[in-house]
Amino acid sequence: MSNETILDVKNLSVSFKTPNGEVQAVRDVSFSVGKGETLAIVGESGSGKSVTTKALMGLLPAPKGYIKNGNILYGNEDFAKLSDKQMTKYRGKDFAMIFQDPMTSLNPTMKVGTQVMEGLRMHRGMNKEEAKKEAVRLLELVRIPDAEARMNQYPHQFSGGMRQRVVIAIALACDPKVLIADEPTTALDVTIQAQILDIMKDIQEEFETSIIFITHDLGVVANVADRVAVMYAGKIVEIGSVDELFYNPKHPYTWGLLGSMPTVDQREEELFAIPGTPPDLLHPPKGDAFAPRNRYALKIDYEEQPPMFQVSDTHYAATWLLHENSPDVQPPASVQQRIDEMNGKWEAGK
């Protein structure tokens, strides 16, 4: 992974117009992605992670969804300022996306090989023979056995895991600089999930592709990411290297996510849960959005949003608990025990 920044998102805010008013789905989000880096964006449903990536790709459902503020800087371009027509130059070629359900990405009436070849011919100018040869290579790269024969099959003849591999091959066809994977393993069983994650790691090494990996599962993050951004109620509440997030989490929401991860030897009654529900982003709270669910909330949490406090050169968290005048609060013992257990298992598996 190089130090070169390939994508720089600054103060991005995305809203949706609804009959009841403006839903502020993404609020003042900033992050960067380096060349060859995997950044995981983690959070529960409704945290704004998928909306953020749709904004990056120019896929917001206009006019209902729109970028209210901010910049999405890629080279000399600001994607936040481009029209849908201007974005077509970058979609597929520079930026590619892998969606959660491969059947929504694949045309059921077209052979798989034809679908992989389409991007090669359109964006890379290959003739039919060149495209066919490269399509077979890409299907082999994503570990589809007997790739040449399977080029002539239709999506319904593939299992869910194999279909997801085809979608990855299509995304790679144009040699994108940034690959956005939106919960690509959610619908798959654990064994297939692990295989897909291995493929993603191989891709990153071979192509030096930057990957933005969207997930609600911190267990997936440990195996695939270099850095992690934790989102809650449309904001990034903590960001740091994967080691920093797992060994030294600072935001109570991150503690909750780590503590609620199940383990194989855990009894059902031991599972930690974050109390309450996320706020309504039609009327975002005045202070810290997590305060009503945070047993360590301070008075200021209900009055003022916390800034991003610096923990290290690469680690930041938006919680008033990091203020020099706040009480010294550590993760609850049950959560700390879970974090220690997971870190021990993760370290053993490294």
Side-chain angles (χ1 to χ4, degrees):
M1 187 182 78
S2 75
N3 292 323
E4 179 189 342
T5 297
I6 197 159
L7 178 71
D8 198 10
V9 177
K10 294 183 175 179
N11 309 113
L12 180 68
S13 294
V14 178
S15 288
F16 287 85
K17 296 171 187 167
T18 75
N20 297 320
E22 177 194 350
V23 174
Q24 298 175 45
V26 175
R27 305 184 294 143
D28 201 28
V29 160
S30 297
F31 62 87
S32 61
V33 184
K35 185 177 181 182
E37 176 185 42
T38 295
L39 173 72
I41 303 179
V42 185
E44 62 198 312
S45 296
S47 60
K49 53 194 191 300
S50 290
V51 173
T52 299
T53 54
K54 284 185 172 67
L56 302 185
M57 292 284 288
L59 293 174
L60 293 170
K64 189 173 71 170
Y66 60 98
I67 293 173
K68 186 177 180 180
N69 187 46
N71 309 95
I72 302 167
L73 304 174
Y74 174 71
N76 297 320
E77 288 285 12
D78 183 353
F79 286 1
K81 307 285 190 287
L82 299 186
S83 66
D84 183 60
K85 188 177 179 183
Q86 289 168 318
M87 277 300 297
T88 55
K89 176 178 156 188
Y90 297 98
R91 275 198 297 263
K93 187 170 183 290
D94 291 64
F95 279 61
M97 199 157 187
I98 303 165
F99 292 96
Q100 185 173 328
D101 179 7
M103 280 310 272
T104 61
S105 308
L106 295 171
N107 185 333
T109 67
M110 280 174 67
K111 290 177 180 176
V112 157
T114 307
Q115 296 187 59
V116 181
M117 288 167 64
E118 203 170 35
L120 294 167
R121 299 196 70 182
M122 187 187 301
H123 291 293
R124 289 170 67 180
M126 293 184 179
N127 63 35
K128 194 174 180 181
E129 278 308 305
E130 290 169 335
K132 185 179 178 183
K133 192 175 175 182
E134 179 64 5
V136 171
R137 188 186 80 84
L138 287 169
L139 290 176
E140 287 172 345
L141 180 75
V142 296
R143 304 181 197 170
I144 289 182
D146 203 11
E148 193 158 0
R150 302 212 74 177
M151 289 267 290
N152 293 312
Q153 293 184 331
Y154 292 89
H156 73 269
Q157 295 173 280
F158 288 71
S159 67
M162 286 293 174
R163 283 197 289 263
Q164 194 61 290
R165 293 172 194 220
V166 172
V167 171
I168 294 171
I170 291 169
L172 292 175
C174 302
D175 194 16
K177 305 295 180 289
V178 179
L179 187 62
I180 298 172
D182 189 357
E183 305 252 17
T185 61
T186 298
L188 306 174
D189 69 50
V190 176
T191 308
I192 304 300
Q193 192 178 76
Q195 292 171 8
I196 297 292
L197 294 175
D198 281 345
I199 289 167
M200 302 281 289
K201 284 194 275 191
D202 290 348
I203 287 164
Q204 192 186 42
E205 285 171 20
E206 176 157 343
F207 292 89
E208 246 198 309
T209 307
S210 302
I211 298 174
I212 299 174
F213 198 99
I214 306 298
T215 183
H216 62 271
D217 185 348
L218 268 172
V220 168
V221 164
N223 297 314
V224 78
D226 299 302
R227 282 192 306 133
V228 184
V230 178
M231 280 192 83
Y232 182 76
K235 295 179 81 72
I236 289 179
V237 296
E238 186 160 9
I239 188 166
S241 71
V242 71
D243 281 6
E244 287 168 331
L245 263 287
F246 273 81
Y247 290 121
N248 190 30
K250 291 297 184 185
H251 198 285
Y253 180 58
T254 312
W255 297 346
L257 289 179
L258 285 164
S260 58
M261 279 173 58
T263 58
V264 175
D265 54 2
Q266 183 174 21
R267 293 193 306 273
E268 191 178 331
E269 63 270 17
E270 290 179 333
L271 195 62
F272 176 89
I274 302 170
T277 55
D280 179 0
L281 293 181
L282 262 172
H283 308 288
K286 181 180 167 188
D288 183 351
F290 190 59
R293 304 175 75 184
N294 179 10
R295 61 190 274 194
Y296 307 107
L298 308 170
K299 186 183 176 186
I300 193 172
D301 279 308
Y302 294 93
E303 298 166 357
E304 203 175 322
Q305 286 185 19
M308 274 287 191
F309 289 95
Q310 184 171 358
V311 182
S312 74
D313 287 348
T314 52
H315 188 186
Y316 295 81
T319 170
W320 286 114
L321 293 177
L322 290 173
H323 191 278
E324 58 184 10
N325 295 332
S326 77
D328 182 23
V329 174
Q330 299 300 320
S334 59
V335 173
Q336 186 60 57
Q337 185 183 350
R338 295 283 294 104
I339 291 168
D340 292 342
E341 280 172 20
M342 287 183 301
N343 285 331
K345 288 176 182 175
W346 180 39
E347 197 62 47
K350 268 188 171 182

